Amino acid sequence: MRSTTLFLVIAVLLVGGLWGYGTYIAKPRPPHQRPTGTTSPGDRRVVKSDADWKKQLDRSAYTVLRENGTEWAGSSPLTDEHRPGTFVCAACHNPLFRSTAKFESGTGWPSFYAPILSNAVYTEPDGNRTEVRCAVCDGHLGHVFEDGPDPTGLRYCMNGVAMQFIPVGRKQIN
Ligand SMILES: [Zn+2]
């Protein structure tokens, strides 16, 4: 009798778990809506389903770009990348920042004072912070703060895992 009860409890938990998992994967989130009037360089847009992003991106990049995650400070080799080149979006390869706009913020995240083009990224309020997203694929990149250096006074605090670095002279792969 007791083992039957135990079996029933386990069965209920199992079915409940599978049901929960099923509802989770069966409910794709709609693509992020850009603020009205947002533009992107060359009007380029990359819009994919959650399932396609999941296939393309590794887990940490997906968590940051598509689920607004934040990588651990100091975890990205791009924080210490000092070669001349371009930082592009890891999801859609939209050029985001030039190495010349990079500075040492001491935060443990790659930091820049300005994007490569003003419409390469767009911002949205995120509580008491300002979120930065890729203007081409809407991927979450990080946040921007007003304690940066000259000439803009801005600090684009980016997740390294949301970007790829293309050194000068190397052709972009993709
Ligand atoms: Zn992108």
Side-chain angles (χ1 to χ4, degrees):
M1 188 65 183
R2 189 166 274 182
S3 65
T4 315
T5 313
L6 189 64
F7 173 77
L8 274 174
V9 167
I10 289 170
V12 164
L13 285 176
L14 260 179
V15 170
L18 286 173
W19 174 263
Y21 182 66
T23 32
Y24 174 71
I25 56 169
K27 234 183 3 186
R29 290 175 307 144
H32 180 80
Q33 296 296 314
R34 298 195 300 177
T36 321
T38 308
T39 63
S40 59
D43 282 334
R44 185 170 167 246
R45 288 288 284 157
V46 173
V47 178
K48 294 184 183 184
S49 69
D50 243 8
D52 283 345
W53 284 126
K54 224 170 230 174
K55 264 184 245 161
Q56 179 191 325
L57 302 167
D58 68 32
R59 192 188 171 88
S60 51
Y62 178 87
T63 304
V64 169
L65 283 156
R66 308 312 304 180
E67 298 187 317
N68 306 343
T70 300
E71 70 190 12
W72 290 107
S75 65
S76 170
L78 294 195
T79 306
D80 298 317
E81 178 58 70
H82 297 298
R83 289 173 293 168
T86 307
F87 295 81
V88 304
C89 173
C92 73
H93 301 110
N94 174 31
L96 301 170
F97 300 97
R98 259 189 246 284
S99 53
T100 46
K102 192 171 188 287
F103 67 96
E104 288 306 316
S105 63
T107 58
W109 288 284
S111 304
F112 306 84
Y113 62 72
I116 203 161
L117 290 169
S118 59
N119 67 348
V121 299
Y122 64 87
T123 60
E124 292 201 304
D126 180 15
N128 57 0
R129 296 183 296 174
T130 304
E131 183 188 7
V132 179
R133 285 182 178 268
C134 172
V136 171
C137 74
D138 302 317
H140 170 85
L141 302 169
H143 292 87
V144 60
F145 302 91
E146 295 184 349
D147 57 5
D150 286 339
T152 62
L154 298 175
R155 171 169 61 93
Y156 286 82
C157 185
M158 300 291 101
N159 288 282
V161 77
M163 303 186 295
Q164 280 174 15
F165 178 67
I166 315 288
V168 163
R170 201 190 89 194
K171 275 216 169 134
Q172 188 173 315
I173 298 159
N174 189 35

